[in-house]
Every structure is written in C-alpha cells, then in structure tokens.
Amino acid sequence: MVNEAISNLPLFNSSDNKASTWAQVILPLAIPKTYTYTIPPHLQLKTKPGCRAEVVFGKNKKYAGIVKSISEKKPEYETKEILNIIDDEPIIYPQQLALWQWMSDYYMCSEGEVMAAALPTHLKLSSEATIVYNETFGEDFSELDNEEYLVAEALLLKKELKLPEVQQILDVNHVYPLIKKLIDKHVCYVWEAFNEKYKQKTENYVMLNPDFSSEEKLNEILNNWTKAPKQLELLLSYLHLTKTEGDVNQTSLLKKSGATVAQLKGLTEKNILLIQKRNVDRVKNLPQKISIDFELSVAQKTALDEINIIFSEKNVCLLHGVTSSGKTQLYIKQIEAYIKKGKQVLYLLPEITLTAQIIRRLQKNFGGNVAIYHSKFNNNERVELWNKIKNGEVKIVLGARSALFLPFKDIGLIIVDEEHDSSYKQQDPAPRYNARDAAIFYASLFNAKVLLGSATPSVESYYNIEKNKYGLVELKERFGGIKPPEIEIINLREVAASKKGKVILSPQLNAAIGNALANNKQVILFQNRRGYSPFLICATCGFIPHCDNCDVTLTLHKYSNKFHCHYCGSSYPKLTTCTACGTVNWIEKNFGTEKIEEELENEFPANKIARMDMDSVRGKTAHDSLIKLFEQQKIDILAGTQMVVKGLDFENVSLVGILDADGLLSFADFRANERAFQLMEQVSGRAGRKGEQGKVMIQATKINHPVLLFVQHHDFKRFYDFEIDNRRRFFYPPFSKVIKIILKHKLKEVVIAAADTLGDALKKDMNDFVVGPAAPVVNRIRNLYLMELLIKLPKDAYMLQQYKKVISNNFNLLHAEKKFRRVVLIADVDTM
Ligand SMILES: [Zn+2]
Ligand SMILES: [Zn+2]
C-alpha cells in the first residue's frame, strides 16, 4: 500500500521494495549541516522539498525545518521521524533552495543560517516561539474545528501560549500544522522576542444588518421612519455608497455623508447597521496599471538598445552612467519590457537610497504592480508580500539586499543599482553575503538577466568587463546636457597656517557658500563623521576619553551633551574636568556634522541649516521628510554624512563642499582609494542642474593625492587603471579572493593565542596566502578582544572550495581545544 504511494512520486524509481525514505531537513540554526529524518509512511505523499517539516532536534526542542531533499538511501546513523508536514504546498521554490545552498557554500555558513535570514518570522516556528492571540479576531469560533477550537479558547483566556502548552492542551505531540491553520485563519500569530509586537491593522466597515437585506424589509423601515431625520439621511447615504463603491468603511461614510459618529451609533443601536472590524492589507493596493509618462533622450534610447544587444549574448550588463544621466528612466523602460513579457523584476537598491523619492517614481509608473521591501517593514507586511510574490501577483519588487530572499515565481530581470555600494554586503550576522554577487547567481537559476548600474562602478565589476564576462554600456552625458561640475581643490595647509586649529570652512568655501545663498541656490556639505567632536584630548596631560567596552575614543555629541561610543552604542556623561589630572583643559580634535552645523549657524545666521546623519534621522520617516524639505527648498544648507551622497536628485544645488578629503583617503584598507573616489565623485554629482554648471570644493592637505586628481577630472578610467595596477601588484581582488578571519574573546591573551594557533595551522596548508594574525585598528569592541587574519586566495573555483574546507576544519580543531572553545570564529568571504 505504502509502496504504491511511493512509486507515484517522481523521485522514486518504484519497483524495489523499500518502504522507508528519508528527508534532509534544514533547521534554522547555526549547525553545520542538514539533518536526516525518517519519513513515516503516512507522510510519504505530503513530504516535498520546500515544505516545512515539524521535527525534534536535540533532546526535545522542536523546529519547523525545511525539507531540502528526499532520498531512499538509508543513512548510517539512527534517524528520528518527521512528526508532521506543515504545508500542503512548498513555501519556497527550488531556486530558493539552490540559492541557500550556494550562499552556504560560498560564504562559509550553514544553510540553516541562510534559512533564518531568508524566511519571515511568521514562517519560522520553534519550541521557543510564543503564539499570541489576535485581538481583532473576535470570539466567533464557529469556523474552527474541535482541536482548533480548544487552542483558540485557551488563547482567548491566556492571550499567549508557548508551544509546549499547546501540546498539553491537545495531548498530542505534533502541533505545528494546527498552529499554521490558526495563523492562516488569523486567530493567532507568532511572536519572537526582539521583534516588534504584531499589530494587525484594522478598519471599521459598515454593513446593513442581513435581516433587512431584502427590498421589502428595507422599504418597510424607510417608509415607516419617523424620528431622527439625520439618521435617515445617513442610512440613505450608506445605501447609495454601497451601490456605487461596494464595501463602505466608516471613515469615508462619515466624511461623504457629513454625519456624526453619534448618528451612526444611533443606527447601530437600532440594529439596522452593523460595524465590522476588518483586517486591512498593509501592502497598499494601488491599481495594477502601467503608465510610462516620459520619453527617453536619444542617448538613453541608444543605451537601451545596446543593453538589449548585450543581453542577447551575456547575462550581466553594467550600465556606467555619470550622475544625473537618467539611469532610473532606463531602468523603468527595461522593467516595462520585462513585465509585459509576463516576467517578474527585482530592483535592488542600497537601503539608504530606498527613499520616498524613488518609491513615488516607480509607483507613478507601475501603480500596484510594485511592492516595496526593506528592513523597516514589520513581519506582517513581510508575509503578505511573500505570498503575493510567490503566486506571481506582485510583478516588481523594489527592495534592499534582503529582497533577494523573496520567493520569485518567474524572475526575468534583476537590477542592482549603485552596484558598487558596500552596503550590499551583509556584515553581521551570517550569511555575510554580497547581494550583488548573490543576485548574479540567483538570476542564472532562472536564466534571467542582471543589469548593474553605477556612476562609479566597482573595480571588480569593471574588471569583469575587461575580461569580457559582463557587457558595458555607457551614458556619458548628463540628462538635459548639464555640464559636469567644476572641481576646485583647496589646500588646507595654506589656510591652516593663518588659522589655529582644524579648519572647518576655509575662507574660499565660506565665500562660495555666501555667493550661492545670495543667488537663491542650495548647498550640500559632506563630512564622513557624525557627532560634534570625534575625540577630546586633555592639553595638560594628554588623557583621551575612551569607551569602557571598546578600544575607541569617545565622540562628543551636542544633541545629548554626552560622550558616545560609535562601536557599541554606550554613552557617558560629558567630562568637565580631566579624569587623569583634574584640570579643565580640553582640546577638541577634528569635527563631526554637529560642529559643522554649529559653525554654519554662526556664519549664516539668516539661513536655514539642517543636518543629515544617523542621529538626525532616527525615526521611520525622518529621512524622507528631511529630503522633502530640502527638495521644497525650505532648507538652504544641508550638512551630512554619506547619507547626503547617495541617490538623491535635487534641482537647485549649485555648490557641494567636501570638508575633509584626507579623512576619506587615510583608511588602512585596500579598498580605501576606491571608496574615496566613489564618495567624492558621487557627492560631486549632486551639484548643478537645469543648464547650470555646479561647483564642488574639496578641502584637503594632501592635495597631490592621485585620487583627488582623478576626481577633479571626473576621470573614472584613469582611476581604474591606477587602482587595478595596485590591486595586481599586491594580489588583492579582483586578482584574488579575500577571506577575513576574525577571532573574538573576552581575554586578550586567549584571543592572541588562538589567532597564533590558527595562523600556524593555516600556514601549513596555504602559507603564501595567509597574512597575519594581527590586531585590527580597533582591537576591542563590546568587551571582546579581536584578532584578524587575512587570506588572499587564487581565483580558482575548485581550489577555493578546498581552501574553505581547510579553514572550516581548522575552526573545528581550534574549538576542540578546551581553552579555545569559547573563541568566536568568523570567516568573512569577500570582505568589504
Ligand atoms: Zn589631564
Ligand atoms: Zn564602546
């Protein structure tokens, strides 16, 4: 009987008489591999890759894992049984499973860690999870079956239950499928600590009591109406609205009829109208229209044709378009073409550039076909979107890097805008993936195309063009024929000689700001440090306040009047007297955005000045409202960190100032030049619009630094040639693959000994490729001491996989030693 069932599954070559099959299950944990479970006979048919399986792991912890594959080969160890299969249909497609596996292999983490990152909380169940009663469900349990009813009743009383409690109520072992049904019916939801508490969004809807739904009954009421004429008016308005608009919600009824809540209450008390609380879709339902309301310029049209020619032979094309060349318009045309073919499109942006500006633009052109996905979304919004993307209802997703994990049904195109941006790389926790690179792999599974876009392409991507792996299309002219900004480099050394202390605004820049403001233009100033003063030093004894938990100087912040640590987030009261010598003799070293703001307020008291950095845009909408105010020219000068650099188009900015170029060029990192070039070039691009050439002033002391000269001439090609030469010489990417190994422990001597042991072991197998161990510049964060090793490996896919195995094995060996058991080991592949 069982065999018959099995033989119908395509995965089995029937005839042989094996009754048992096994499933490899991915558990959402940082355990190194998948685990095999026995599929009991009654679940043989239900078990499909991509479905969630309820399993016990460890002593008695339960998890909802994902079935990765099914095999009939008996494993060599005893296996536990799958308790139940939660889903009737897989919740992810085979392409997701393939992406997870690739990420786990490539970025040296477990598939479980990828799974934990990929699935929305509501799809993750474990015995630690709490099930919470959904208050808006009400108490109508008539639709529930016996078991569901029992749990719902208990939830109604206790408001929340742990999974083991649900088991007790039902006196059965496997409860996940039942919980899934209760979640689907909106009786409850999953709540995990650390995540925001669920709030279902509801609206009141007005309904006619079904008893009066017949024409006769209704006429009877209307004809016999005596008192309360206002209520009658309201009732008539309601009847009219149901005819014209269908469902009527309370707010719009009251607005359109001009009635009061009291009058509506009168009607509900008479039991003529009923109020029903309804859950509302959080994902806004705009009409699914497409209306492209612009024409491409000749240059843009040519570029679009070139992209399509490249796509006929290659899967990846880089669009190198100078700032303001109108790349977004090209993307929109390209998206239109793909969704007309019935394909889905993923449009990736760095989180910070995912602003209302770009969202509005896409919604204007594609209406409800577009869904937005980013980290500010809550869990409910995530699940709603998840389902709509999986069934193909949503055609276009605009999102930050994690949007890559969504279950696309049939993706045709992935756009990675600002492809050079380092925020595509996830730092912590695992998977430490680069969404641009993962997107290229993911697209290949669908035979889809990838369009990378940037005004300042990454060295790696540009190298792939040289090697003929990617195609290249250039947009060299700014839209509307605006000239690139003129760039002036100001020698701070000459200025500083005549002024004491660090110069914030040189006389030249100061005059230029005044000039711009006099002409009713706006100004952007860029400094890559937030806060007031990055560190203070006692002039008497040289004492510098440091964080207690980290090896970093404390930044003075004016808004809080406190010292803040930018690494662990702790804050300290501002010191008046020196802790070491007791004198009051502080010197403020260097300057952050707050100090710039203060200086500007002194210099230009009549103008409106605003600051844009992590501190000033903490709220959900603060970033967008600041951008809006600047757009509407209610702000004259905007000073900020790299937040002001990215992806924003302003019409009226004539001057951009880069206050401290040295700070950008002095990082001890092989990507420092690249990042400095990109930032300066990008921020320069904010200057000049509408037929007027903008101006950029760069303040620096190392005025002959080659990168500054490349920026001055907007010469990406010369920058690339210079940089690729460095990379080749020192065997850095794109000529090698780098893996950074980070060790952490609360005792300095332990972490150093561990790093030495690991370093020695790795050098046995790959001596030439190991650099270090060494302590990083900041060698203690959150009370953990750090050590690092850098491994530069040749680019050979097979060898790379072998070396990664060597690293993993050595991690295990190190952890096997008792004294090193608690050392945190991290491998960061393609570190940024
Ligand atoms: Zn002192
Ligand atoms: Zn700290």
Side-chain angles (χ1 to χ4, degrees):
M1 196 175 62
V2 173
N3 283 335
E4 212 178 288
I6 298 168
S7 65
N8 290 331
L9 282 170
L11 285 156
F12 298 95
N13 337 329
S14 65
S15 64
D16 53 38
N17 277 332
K18 280 174 198 144
S20 300
T21 47
W22 289 268
Q24 281 74 48
V25 177
I26 305 170
L27 298 168
L29 301 167
I31 44 175
K33 56 188 175 101
T34 55
Y35 279 78
T36 303
Y37 288 85
T38 311
I39 307 174
H42 71 283
L43 293 178
Q44 300 274 5
L45 274 174
K46 282 193 81 180
T47 309
K48 294 173 229 167
C51 284
R52 284 174 300 164
E54 181 180 358
V55 294
V56 173
F57 181 73
K59 259 196 184 136
N60 47 16
K61 281 221 171 122
K62 280 196 193 172
Y63 292 94
I66 290 254
V67 176
K68 186 187 174 190
S69 59
I70 294 164
S71 96
E72 48 186 78
K73 201 172 145 237
K74 187 173 170 27
E76 282 160 16
Y77 48 88
E78 277 302 304
T79 51
K80 289 177 186 156
E81 274 199 351
I82 288 180
L83 301 176
N84 222 322
I85 294 293
I86 302 166
D87 307 294
D88 294 332
E89 286 304 319
I91 61 162
I92 55 170
Y93 291 110
Q95 286 89 346
Q96 262 81 48
L97 279 173
L99 176 67
W100 294 6
Q101 172 158 9
W102 177 83
M103 271 197 184
S104 119
D105 288 345
Y106 188 85
Y107 293 106
M108 299 183 69
C109 60
S110 77
E111 283 174 271
E113 286 171 300
V114 185
M115 172 186 172
L119 289 188
T121 307
H122 287 14
L123 296 176
K124 285 182 280 190
L125 291 169
S126 74
S127 29
E128 287 110 70
T130 304
I131 311 299
V132 181
Y133 184 64
N134 178 6
E135 295 292 346
T136 59
F137 181 77
E139 296 175 22
D140 178 9
F141 294 161
S142 57
E143 297 286 305
L144 308 180
D145 71 19
N146 276 347
E147 287 191 328
E148 290 165 3
Y149 177 82
L150 282 173
V151 178
E153 202 188 23
L155 272 171
L156 183 63
L157 283 170
K158 294 186 68 178
K159 302 302 173 205
E160 53 181 63
L161 294 171
K162 291 262 178 213
L163 293 200
E165 295 178 287
V166 180
Q167 276 171 32
Q168 276 176 5
I169 294 168
L170 297 178
D171 197 25
V172 293
N173 233 343
H174 35 276
V175 297
Y176 286 8
L178 177 93
I179 288 167
K180 180 195 181 260
K181 278 190 223 151
L182 288 173
I183 293 171
D184 288 347
K185 290 181 179 175
H186 300 288
V187 178
C188 65
Y189 53 90
V190 181
W191 184 65
E192 274 188 334
F194 312 116
N195 281 315
E196 81 271 35
K197 197 127 187 165
Y198 176 97
K199 260 197 228 114
Q200 176 74 52
K201 205 172 159 194
T202 59
E203 263 173 33
N204 284 342
Y205 275 79
V206 182
M207 285 177 15
L208 186 65
N209 185 337
D211 294 348
F212 306 119
S213 61
S214 74
E215 196 98 350
E216 275 181 336
K217 287 266 171 75
L218 193 60
N219 280 333
E220 204 182 306
I221 307 179
L222 294 177
N223 294 335
N224 297 320
W225 202 279
T226 49
K227 281 180 283 180
K230 288 275 179 196
Q231 287 182 17
L232 178 63
E233 248 174 63
L234 175 58
L235 179 60
L236 291 170
S237 297
Y238 166 79
L239 293 169
H240 176 71
L241 273 176
T242 40
K243 282 216 182 84
T244 54
E245 292 179 11
D247 287 356
V248 177
N249 78 39
Q250 182 177 320
T251 327
S252 70
L253 173 64
L254 293 180
K255 206 166 143 201
K256 282 177 186 158
S257 64
T260 62
V261 180
Q263 288 155 2
L264 180 62
K265 207 174 164 211
L267 286 172
T268 55
E269 275 166 1
K270 287 179 184 155
N271 234 346
I272 299 170
L273 290 183
L274 306 173
I275 302 282
Q276 191 186 43
K277 254 191 191 334
R278 270 192 221 167
N279 298 338
V280 229
D281 242 1
R282 281 155 203 276
V283 186
K284 242 203 241 150
N285 284 322
L286 295 168
Q288 294 215 335
K289 48 138 202 183
I290 303 175
S291 68
I292 310 297
D293 55 350
F294 58 84
E295 289 292 325
L296 296 181
S297 69
V298 177
Q300 288 173 324
K301 239 182 229 147
T302 313
L304 191 64
D305 291 341
E306 287 170 10
I307 292 170
N308 286 322
I309 292 168
I310 285 168
F311 277 162
S312 65
E313 348 176 309
K314 289 190 169 74
N315 290 328
V316 185
C317 176
L318 173 77
L319 175 61
H320 180 194
V322 295
T323 44
S324 323
S325 55
K327 288 191 291 296
T328 316
Q329 282 144 310
L330 271 186
Y331 298 153
I332 289 172
K333 286 282 184 189
Q334 197 65 296
I335 292 170
E336 183 193 14
Y338 277 84
I339 62 171
K340 281 191 171 159
K341 283 191 261 181
K343 298 281 184 183
Q344 288 174 304
V345 176
L346 170 60
Y347 184 162
L348 289 175
L349 276 166
E351 179 95 34
I352 200 171
T353 58
L354 201 53
T355 57
Q357 235 181 15
I358 179 77
I359 293 170
R360 271 202 306 274
R361 204 150 157 191
L362 245 72
Q363 282 178 337
K364 196 168 150 209
N365 289 293
F366 297 111
N369 292 302
V370 189
I372 322 293
Y373 193 81
H374 59 76
S375 66
K376 283 174 187 166
F377 269 25
N378 63 35
N379 289 317
N380 312 295
E381 291 166 323
R382 275 167 213 272
V383 178
E384 273 169 33
L385 255 182
W386 182 275
N387 293 331
K388 286 183 179 181
I389 291 161
K390 185 166 171 269
N391 65 27
E393 195 184 321
V394 163
K395 294 281 179 253
I396 307 159
V397 177
L398 178 65
R401 64 171 183 248
S402 60
L404 190 67
F405 291 120
L406 294 167
F408 290 92
K409 192 175 183 190
D410 186 13
I411 203 163
L413 174 71
I414 302 181
I415 296 166
V416 185
D417 195 20
E418 311 292 343
E419 65 88 23
H420 62 276
D421 200 296
S422 59
S423 64
Y424 278 123
K425 179 81 161 72
Q426 168 144 324
Q427 295 300 326
D428 266 312
R432 295 177 177 80
Y433 65 104
N434 185 317
R436 173 197 62 203
D437 301 340
I440 291 171
F441 171 79
Y442 185 55
S444 72
L445 301 171
F446 290 89
N447 223 351
K449 304 294 175 187
V450 180
L451 181 57
L452 307 175
S454 178
T456 53
S458 64
V459 170
E460 274 109 327
S461 292
Y462 215 77
Y463 181 75
N464 280 327
I465 291 161
E466 279 197 331
K467 291 277 144 200
N468 214 14
K469 278 171 80 182
Y470 302 171
L472 172 67
V473 172
E474 289 176 312
L475 261 179
K476 287 181 177 162
E477 79 183 51
R478 295 175 106 188
F479 192 73
I482 314 151
K483 278 203 223 158
E486 179 205 334
I487 296 187
E488 185 182 331
I489 295 171
I490 298 166
N491 189 345
L492 277 185
R493 217 158 274 189
E494 286 169 9
V495 178
S498 58
K499 264 187 144 188
K500 74 174 189 3
K502 189 106 181 168
V503 177
I504 299 176
L505 298 176
S506 58
Q508 296 95 313
L509 182 55
N510 204 323
I513 296 173
N515 212 342
L517 297 176
N519 288 314
N520 281 322
K521 294 289 174 187
Q522 290 167 290
V523 178
I524 290 179
L525 298 178
F526 167 64
Q527 161 71 328
N528 222 10
R529 290 170 190 274
R530 61 193 173 93
Y532 188 78
S533 177
F535 72 97
L536 273 71
I537 180 165
C538 171
T540 314
C541 73
F543 171 79
I544 298 171
H546 274 70
C547 177
D548 291 345
N549 314 315
C550 315
D551 172 40
V552 282
T553 60
L554 291 170
T555 299
L556 177 64
H557 280 251
K558 211 175 101 180
Y559 80 94
S560 59
N561 199 30
K562 277 182 175 160
F563 284 126
H564 289 258
C565 170
H566 286 183
Y567 281 79
C568 71
S570 38
S571 61
Y572 303 80
K574 189 183 162 185
L575 293 172
T576 38
T577 55
C578 172
T579 326
C581 71
T583 62
V584 185
N585 202 1
W586 296 111
I587 303 174
E588 285 158 3
K589 284 282 181 181
N590 218 326
F591 58 91
T593 44
E594 283 183 341
K595 198 160 182 174
I596 299 168
E597 192 183 22
E598 187 184 86
E599 172 113 347
L600 289 168
E601 278 162 0
N602 291 335
E603 295 287 329
F604 306 98
N607 294 95
K608 294 223 172 52
I609 292 140
R611 179 164 58 86
M612 188 192 267
D613 55 32
M614 263 164 58
D615 306 306
S616 72
V617 298
R618 277 187 196 281
K620 194 167 175 173
T621 53
H623 187 224
D624 281 339
S625 25
L626 206 52
I627 290 170
K628 208 176 241 168
L629 287 174
F630 196 65
E631 257 177 342
Q632 295 165 347
Q633 299 175 30
K634 289 179 182 153
I635 294 168
D636 301 314
I637 311 174
L638 184 64
T641 58
Q642 47 178 311
M643 277 189 173
V644 299
V645 175
K646 298 189 174 184
L648 300 168
D649 283 325
F650 299 115
E651 296 282 323
N652 195 43
V653 176
S654 69
L655 175 70
V656 164
I658 296 171
L659 301 191
D660 179 20
D662 301 330
L664 296 172
L665 291 161
S666 61
F667 285 105
D669 176 294
F670 73 90
R671 284 200 173 88
N673 283 338
E674 183 179 6
R675 212 165 294 147
F677 178 83
Q678 287 164 350
L679 276 170
M680 287 193 271
E681 186 64 30
Q682 296 267 349
V683 74
S684 302
R686 308 298 134 212
R689 280 295 185 281
K690 282 195 177 160
E692 280 174 61
Q693 190 183 20
K695 175 144 193 160
V696 178
M697 292 181 131
I698 302 177
Q699 303 188 141
T701 57
K702 299 173 203 141
I703 56 161
N704 291 319
H705 196 292
V707 170
L708 278 183
L709 302 177
F710 302 139
V711 172
Q712 190 169 26
H713 297 103
H714 302 287
D715 199 339
F716 173 80
K717 272 296 291 205
R718 274 185 62 209
F719 159 74
Y720 173 79
D721 291 339
F722 162 83
E723 186 60 21
I724 201 78
D725 206 44
N726 284 333
R727 302 282 179 93
R728 187 182 292 117
R729 219 156 356 123
F730 299 103
F731 195 50
Y732 276 119
F735 300 98
S736 63
K737 284 274 174 191
V738 290
I739 301 175
K740 190 202 267 179
I741 292 172
I742 303 152
L743 301 94
K744 302 184 189 181
H745 193 272
K746 62 179 193 292
L747 297 174
K748 197 173 185 174
E749 56 276 18
V750 172
V751 78
I752 290 174
D756 286 340
T757 310
L758 183 65
D760 288 345
L762 291 175
K763 279 173 190 165
K764 270 185 206 135
D765 287 299
M766 36 179 142
N767 189 23
D768 297 343
F769 308 135
V770 182
V771 183
V777 182
V778 175
N779 68 33
R780 186 173 55 111
I781 298 172
R782 293 173 198 273
N783 277 323
L784 293 174
Y785 285 91
L786 304 176
M787 286 294 282
E788 287 177 357
L789 287 147
L790 195 69
I791 303 178
K792 296 192 271 185
L793 296 168
K795 277 170 80 176
D796 172 302
Y798 173 77
M799 285 313 292
L800 212 55
Q801 228 28 53
Q802 297 308 307
Y803 285 128
K804 284 176 187 168
K805 273 185 200 150
V806 170
I807 294 169
S808 303
N809 289 341
N810 279 299
F811 277 13
N812 292 338
L813 286 174
L814 196 74
H815 273 160
E817 281 189 55
K818 202 174 160 205
K819 61 185 167 185
F820 297 140
R821 202 164 40 197
R822 294 195 179 279
V823 175
V824 178
L825 294 169
I826 292 167
D828 184 13
V829 179
D830 296 344
T831 183
M832 283 295 239

